[in-house]
Amino acid sequence: MGTTPGKNGLTYADAGVDIDAGNELVRRIGPIAKSTARSGSDAGLGGFGGLFDLKAAGFEDPVLVAANDGTGTKLKIAIETNDVSTIGIDLVAMCVNDLIVQGAEPLFFLDYFSTGHLEIEQATKIIEGIAEGCRQADCALIGGETAEMPGLYAKGDFDLAGFSVGAAERGTLLPTNNIAAGDALIGLPSSGVHSNGFSLVRKILEINGLDWSSPAPFEDGKTLGEAFLTPTKIYVKELLPLLQSGLVKALAHITGGGLPENLPRVLPEGLGAKIDTSTWDRPPVFSWLQKSGGIEEAELLRTFNCGIGMVLVVSPEEATRLDLPDAVWIGEITDSGTVEIA
């Protein structure tokens, strides 16, 4: 018969899981979650599930819309630079931006954080970033899961996933059924690369002998790590009033696949689009990536957002009524059935 090590035998901590650290993290993030409370939720933590009251949030006959996502390999930059302060904003953005394009108001958010060894300070900063994203979207952080799984992750690695639920009154979901040739395409600027294409970004740095501490040639005073960790823009608060006014026929969140592949997702069969890239100033980061990686224009456009993070489809008449200071006309709907970008 074998013997158990130690006076009192093995503990969970001996196997690499610290229950006390997990409890301390929950204690710390309780007030952080409460800071995201909104109508319909008190954003309290500690139960076996999060609660949300649709009636208290003002809905009468709602349809629920759900989305989940991660941050892709942008997470590697946060890990390698030891700057996890904004990756939580990216996590929220990738979910809530997908809800708003369907005409749904984001209501609540849950996160999944898994790591080989729980570092309380690191985890707290990550959750603080998630809470900031939730505040930007007026979306309550009502729960989540922290998993310590020794042996599954390399030292220092962790993973993040997010889940969000929104709602819209029945009959108000997007896209509408009246999109037509001649409708205007209005673009909203991105804050940078957002959270897509980072495997290619990392490859470009590798072939150019650069690292995250190298100065960013396209952004004065910042390292490449700092510049590329600029969080994804959250469009919820500026778009919700437009949805409620009925001005918008469709929205497209420009993520992986860029304009050529995301815009067709919201168009009826038989319709296409013509986009004029000269109508907006492409942020310098994309020109640097293109030059440093020798990337063809078509490949650049189908990998990155190239400066446009959200596209609105509106009638030509309504385009002039949009109260969006940063918006730019980028093209129009056609009956070609394809997306043409010039």
Side-chain angles (χ1 to χ4, degrees):
M1 242 180 114
T3 59
T4 55
K7 182 178 180 181
N8 297 312
L10 280 172
T11 66
Y12 211 0
D14 292 326
V17 178
D18 190 338
I19 296 175
D20 291 334
N23 291 337
E24 173 61 16
L25 179 62
V26 171
R27 186 192 68 79
R28 290 194 185 194
I29 65 179
I32 298 171
K34 283 187 178 297
S35 73
T36 70
R38 52 152 294 158
S39 58
S41 171
D42 63 7
L45 300 181
F48 288 96
L51 305 178
F52 194 91
D53 186 339
L54 285 166
K55 186 174 181 180
F59 289 91
E60 296 180 2
D61 186 19
V63 175
L64 296 180
V65 182
N68 73 297
D69 213 331
T71 61
T73 58
K74 187 173 186 176
L75 196 62
K76 289 288 289 181
I77 309 178
I79 292 170
E80 291 171 5
T81 62
N82 196 31
D83 182 358
V84 299
S85 61
T86 61
I87 199 70
I89 300 175
D90 290 291
L91 183 67
V92 175
M94 297 304 289
C95 294
V96 298
N97 285 343
D98 278 354
L99 293 180
I100 198 72
V101 298
Q102 295 180 88
E105 175 186 352
L107 300 176
F108 58 86
F109 188 88
L110 298 96
D111 69 277
Y112 176 78
F113 169 61
S114 55
T115 182
H117 175 67
L118 182 59
E119 300 285 350
I120 296 177
E121 296 297 334
Q122 179 193 62
T124 301
K125 288 181 181 178
I126 292 169
I127 303 302
E128 286 175 341
I130 292 171
E132 172 58 24
C134 286
R135 288 190 293 268
Q136 290 183 22
D138 195 18
C139 179
L141 177 60
I142 67 169
E145 169 70 6
T146 300
E148 191 173 24
M149 299 188 285
L152 190 60
Y153 295 92
K155 184 178 180 180
D157 278 353
F158 62 86
D159 200 8
L160 281 176
F163 311 82
S164 191
V165 172
E169 294 292 356
R170 194 176 304 277
T172 65
L173 291 172
L174 297 180
T176 62
N177 59 9
N178 62 340
I179 300 173
D183 282 342
L185 297 174
I186 306 297
L188 297 181
S190 67
S191 57
V193 181
H194 282 185
S195 297
N196 299 101
F198 277 93
S199 293
L200 182 53
V201 169
R202 290 164 54 236
K203 186 67 176 179
I204 290 170
L205 263 67
E206 179 187 332
I207 64 176
N208 284 276
L210 300 170
D211 59 36
W212 302 121
S213 64
S214 302
F218 51 86
E219 197 161 347
D220 291 342
K222 288 190 176 182
T223 64
L224 286 171
E226 290 168 339
F228 280 114
L229 281 174
T230 300
T232 304
K233 184 176 179 180
I234 293 176
Y235 297 93
V236 172
K237 287 185 178 179
E238 62 184 314
L239 289 177
L240 267 179
L242 297 180
L243 299 185
Q244 293 161 355
S245 69
L247 294 177
V248 180
K249 294 185 177 184
L251 292 167
H253 184 200
I254 309 306
T255 55
L259 285 162
E261 295 186 16
N262 284 287
L263 188 55
R265 295 168 66 182
V266 301
L267 299 181
E269 187 175 353
L271 291 184
K274 187 173 183 179
I275 297 173
D276 182 356
T277 59
S278 70
T279 61
W280 75 89
D281 294 326
R282 184 176 292 178
V285 60
F286 298 106
S287 300
W288 181 82
L289 287 168
Q290 185 172 30
K291 182 179 179 180
S292 300
I295 306 172
E296 296 289 339
E297 180 72 6
E299 183 68 13
L300 192 78
L301 285 165
R302 70 190 297 263
T303 304
F304 301 109
N305 64 63
C306 292
I308 298 294
M310 184 72 69
V311 176
L312 295 74
V313 180
V314 298
S315 69
E317 299 77 21
E318 302 291 8
T320 61
R321 297 175 54 197
L322 298 177
D323 185 18
L324 295 169
D326 296 330
V328 58
W329 182 93
I330 65 169
E332 64 180 16
I333 300 297
T334 67
D335 56 10
S336 68
T338 61
V339 174
E340 303 170 39
I341 303 181

